[in-house]
Amino acid sequence: MTETAIIHPSKEAGSAVDIVRVRKDFGSAVGVADVSLTIRNGEFVTLLGPSGCGKSTLLGMIAGFVTPTAGKIVVDGADITDLEPYRRDIGMVFQSYALFPHMNVHDNIAFGLRMRKLPAAQVEKEVARAIAMMKLEGFEARRVRQLSGGQQQRVALARAIVIRPKVLLLDEPLSALDKNLRAQMQVELSELHRKTGLTTIFVTHDQGEALSLSDRIVVMNKGAVQQVAAPIELYRQPANGFVASFIGEINALPPGRCELKDGTASLVLPGVGPLVFPTAPATGFAPGRQVRAFLRPEHVRPVLAGEAGPNVVTGKVEAHIYQGSHTITRVVVEGIGLVETRVTGAEIVASAPVGASLGLAFDLSEAVLLDTAD
Amino acid sequence: MRSQKIGTVAFWSLVVALLTYMTLPTIVVLMTSVNPTEILAFPPQGVSFDWYVKAVTYPDFRIAFKNGLIVTACASTLALIVGSAFAWLIHHYDFRGRGLLEGVLWSPLIIPHFTLGFGFLLLGGAFGVQQGYVMIVLAHMVLVMPFVTRAVHVSLANIDPALARAAANLGASPFQVLTRITLPLVVPGMAGGWLIAAVLSLTEFTASLYVTGSRTQTLPVAMYNYIREYADPTVSAISALLIIATTLIMLVADRTIGLRRVLAIDTH
């Protein structure tokens, strides 16, 4: 990790950003509700949530464009809550990139260094390094309007990192790109983060981007933090129904009761019967407790009609959603409702046509049990 | 097929008719300017540029042109300063009476120039101001203000608000944001507004008729006074020169600062 030293020569581990009970009210509406969050040095953290969840407002408060109603923001040990944006030393990439249209690529990247009154020779050296890092050689004299979306994105990144910010903020920077370019920029963002070791806060509503890029994901809804976890944990152990259904596809089973009889743990669904946990039941299991089980489509397996067995229910095929490598099949099961199953290939489209009855085996080993109130 | 053809013919006939209707008066004036004899004849009976020589050497026209330039320079520049300030105010602040202010700023577009010129004359009388440069400049300033304000307002509105935030994020103080980002981006709009104002002021006649004196008359007023006494092609020649000059100014402005974009004729 020698490249880390390029940006942060002497950084010991610790917290880079401390958000302490930060709140933002818009009139009587709550934009951000008492959010507390600690972001470690060098961490890549994603604020994820639907539009209007408060993620952009929170980012705006870190950058200094939005004044918190209450709470405190500490960066690198210094309270910056009331500091003007231009004194914060925080890099930012905007959704629209916000490149200066009257300047060329070089001057855009040099802007922050010139504002810091660095000697010209040093400005040139730093700009050249940022240009090399973002593979923008040869574009220095171009007007920003003449660049493609991907190139503009790289200029925006170069401009933000060249000032050696304490934190790098990315506000939905990939949303303006087409699908292929977005995948490529994800790889480049990852690489940039690895090379610079910059503490990065990334805002997105795209769970795919969040899962692939982040060390930790902060899921937000209605101004409040729903869960803070690493991508794998978030996917396998969502803290509540919102997180469960926001991250990936998931089947929400109707409320049922946990039962433990003769050493066998099961979930009793009214009108359906008991579904048996194959091994030790999932976290959240307690005899007598009312729960809702959430089950990913890959843990629901279609079985041949008539094949009986534990945890097999039968329903009517409603639709197939063919997606190339796999097919999502929607089945309506009496007493449960709509259940999605996900299988490799497309054979199921022919073997279980729409309207046919289909057996589904539930693998409860990966089920997530949540309080009925969540 | 046949009806489609008839439609095409009808469409182009309409286009040609409209173009002819709009440009014919100007073309007639331009053509009479080259008539060799002393009458304003259409069609001309030959080609001669003698009247152009007379037009540029005629003392009244020379003085009037110089007057016009002084008035135009002062009125457009003053309108640019005041109009930009108003545009800034309207763009940045939502205040009580903003709608009223905008209405007043646009009002010269609907109030007849006759009324404005006459009003300035009466007002001048009441305050003891003679017909002269001060009164002409003040009147012209009011007349061209809507165009300058609009040009600056449009270019302010076209600036992505994220640019100011990006600059601040990179360490620019509010003053530096103004000088490094906002001003460079509105300068083309200001230049465009100034040019439109200058062309309007240079060719304004109705209001100028009231507020100019015999020694401070501007070119259109001098042309009017000339044609009341002499009916020879000199006025046609000076008209042609004025049209050519303003056309050239507009073309150069479009090439250098993108006038159409600045005035939001091209919307992208």
Side-chain angles (χ1 to χ4, degrees):
Chain A
M1 269 304 193
T2 46
E3 284 161 317
T4 309
I6 293 174
I7 300 283
H8 287 299
S10 61
K11 266 262 169 104
E12 68 278 27
S15 70
V17 182
D18 277 300
I19 295 164
V20 188
R21 290 191 305 280
V22 160
R23 178 179 188 84
K24 179 67 189 177
D25 298 332
F26 295 109
S28 58
V30 177
V32 170
D34 300 314
V35 167
S36 291
L37 188 65
T38 295
I39 294 164
R40 290 187 288 271
N41 244 319
E43 206 178 8
F44 194 118
V45 168
T46 297
L47 306 181
L48 174 69
S51 55
C53 72
K55 58 190 192 299
S56 293
T57 307
L58 186 57
L59 200 75
M61 289 192 279
I62 300 169
F65 304 132
V66 180
T67 313
T69 310
K72 153 172 112 153
I73 296 170
V74 179
V75 170
D76 234 10
D79 185 343
I80 60 157
T81 318
D82 297 317
L83 202 63
E84 295 95 330
Y86 66 95
R87 297 187 204 274
R88 289 197 179 195
D89 273 329
I90 289 175
M92 181 155 178
V93 173
F94 293 77
Q95 195 169 3
S96 63
Y97 309 141
L99 299 178
F100 306 131
H102 56 303
M103 296 180 196
N104 61 23
V105 169
H106 173 277
D107 291 351
N108 262 279
I109 298 173
F111 189 84
L113 299 172
R114 287 177 177 158
M115 290 300 106
R116 282 166 177 71
K117 303 225 168 13
L118 257 60
Q122 203 186 337
V123 169
E124 292 314 311
K125 215 174 86 187
E126 300 283 338
V127 170
R129 191 149 61 187
I131 280 176
M133 188 178 259
M134 293 319 300
K135 304 182 196 82
L136 284 164
E137 292 99 335
F139 290 100
E140 291 88 342
R142 291 271 187 100
R143 286 266 159 174
V144 293
R145 282 206 182 97
Q146 299 170 309
L147 302 178
S148 71
Q151 289 160 348
Q152 291 187 20
Q153 163 94 81
R154 290 212 287 269
V155 175
L157 277 166
R159 189 177 70 174
I161 60 166
V162 78
I163 60 169
R164 302 177 185 231
K166 292 178 179 134
V167 184
L168 178 63
L169 308 180
L170 307 171
D171 187 7
E172 307 223 17
L174 305 178
S175 60
L177 302 175
D178 63 51
K179 192 168 161 282
N180 290 335
L181 202 51
R182 212 179 312 161
Q184 190 199 326
M185 283 313 298
Q186 275 188 44
V187 175
E188 287 190 28
L189 270 184
S190 230
E191 206 171 299
L192 181 73
H193 179 244
R194 190 181 52 76
K195 277 188 195 165
T196 60
L198 272 173
T199 308
T200 305
I201 305 177
F202 178 72
V203 160
T204 185
H205 62 266
D206 184 313
Q207 39 131 337
E209 285 172 8
L211 290 173
S212 72
L213 287 168
S214 322
D215 293 323
R216 279 192 304 159
I217 298 173
V218 180
V219 183
M220 292 182 72
N221 189 36
K222 292 178 181 161
V225 171
Q226 303 295 312
Q227 188 173 6
V228 183
I232 296 171
E233 190 195 339
L234 202 64
Y235 189 78
R236 300 184 62 172
Q237 274 303 320
N240 58 40
F242 175 81
V243 178
S245 44
F246 194 76
I247 311 287
E249 310 292 324
I250 204 155
N251 293 303
L253 304 187
R257 189 164 36 83
C258 298
E259 255 182 27
L260 190 61
K261 212 185 273 173
D262 307 329
T264 307
S266 62
L267 174 69
V268 181
L269 296 181
V272 179
L275 297 173
V276 179
F277 289 96
T279 50
T283 40
F285 181 89
R289 187 183 173 213
Q290 279 287 120
V291 294
R292 281 187 76 125
F294 289 79
L295 203 55
R296 300 279 176 197
E298 55 267 36
H299 301 128
V300 176
R301 185 173 51 88
V303 294
L304 292 171
E307 181 189 318
N311 295 358
V312 171
V313 296
T314 306
K316 207 167 119 188
V317 176
E318 192 195 68
H320 294 289
I321 302 158
Y322 175 59
Q323 299 199 309
S325 64
H326 62 270
T327 305
I328 303 257
T329 300
R330 299 177 138 195
V331 183
V332 179
V333 180
E334 208 172 318
I336 294 180
L338 192 66
V339 177
E340 289 187 347
T341 166
R342 176 191 171 122
V343 286
T344 313
E347 289 78 13
I348 193 163
V349 178
S351 63
V354 171
S357 77
L358 181 68
L360 297 173
F362 290 165
D363 174 8
L364 287 194
S365 60
E366 295 283 348
V368 176
L369 303 184
L370 297 173
D371 239 29
T372 46
D374 291 338
Chain B
M1 268 304 165
R2 201 181 165 79
S3 65
Q4 201 180 359
K5 211 172 212 172
I6 293 169
T8 311
V9 171
F11 172 76
W12 285 110
S13 310
L14 194 69
V15 169
V16 170
L18 200 64
L19 281 176
T20 313
Y21 169 65
M22 290 198 62
T23 53
L24 203 59
T26 313
I27 291 169
V28 169
V29 170
L30 292 184
M31 287 176 78
T32 57
S33 72
V34 294
N35 200 36
T37 61
E38 230 176 82
I39 47 162
L40 279 162
F42 181 81
Q45 288 136 8
V47 175
S48 152
F49 288 97
D50 292 350
W51 302 111
Y52 284 84
V53 177
K54 190 180 173 198
V56 295
T57 51
Y58 188 64
D60 274 13
F61 286 170
R62 295 181 79 109
I63 294 165
F65 184 60
K66 194 196 76 190
N67 287 340
L69 286 184
I70 293 169
V71 169
T72 292
C74 296
S76 306
T77 307
L78 282 172
L80 179 68
I81 295 166
V82 181
S84 300
F86 275 131
W88 178 266
L89 217 66
I90 290 168
H91 180 70
H92 276 274
Y93 302 100
D94 198 2
F95 49 91
R96 244 177 189 289
R98 194 178 94 156
L100 184 70
L101 177 65
E102 274 188 89
V104 171
L105 278 170
W106 299 146
S107 69
L109 291 176
I110 45 167
I111 294 171
H113 288 196
F114 163 85
T115 312
L116 279 167
F118 191 44
F120 268 99
L121 183 64
L122 294 175
L123 210 58
F127 286 96
V129 180
Q130 294 294 307
Q131 287 160 309
Y133 285 132
V134 172
M135 201 190 278
I136 312 168
V137 166
L138 287 176
H140 278 205
M141 191 180 137
V142 168
L143 292 173
V144 300
M145 190 93 90
F147 300 93
V148 186
T149 310
R150 174 161 171 80
V152 178
H153 190 198
V154 165
S155 27
L156 277 173
N158 279 341
I159 299 176
D160 178 0
L163 293 181
R165 270 184 268 141
N169 175 256
L170 291 164
S173 66
F175 180 72
Q176 284 170 318
V177 171
L178 182 71
T179 56
R180 305 278 189 129
I181 308 296
T182 314
L183 271 180
L185 290 172
V186 284
V187 157
M190 291 170 77
W194 189 90
L195 269 173
I196 293 283
V199 168
L200 287 173
S201 165
L202 207 58
T203 56
E204 208 288 330
F205 168 66
T206 321
S208 307
L209 191 60
Y210 292 89
V211 291
T212 55
S214 55
R215 269 190 240 151
T216 53
Q217 62 182 1
T218 55
L219 196 51
V221 177
M223 286 157 70
Y224 171 71
N225 287 334
Y226 183 90
I227 206 162
R228 283 206 304 181
E229 290 180 44
Y230 320 98
D232 66 34
T234 313
V235 269
S236 298
I238 196 87
S239 296
L241 290 175
L242 206 52
I243 290 168
I244 292 165
T246 49
T247 309
L248 281 178
I249 292 174
M250 292 308 230
L251 280 178
V252 169
D254 192 33
R255 280 291 162 84
T256 50
I257 58 171
L259 199 59
R260 270 178 290 192
R261 188 171 46 79
V262 162
L263 298 176
I265 295 165
D266 280 356
T267 45
H268 43 82

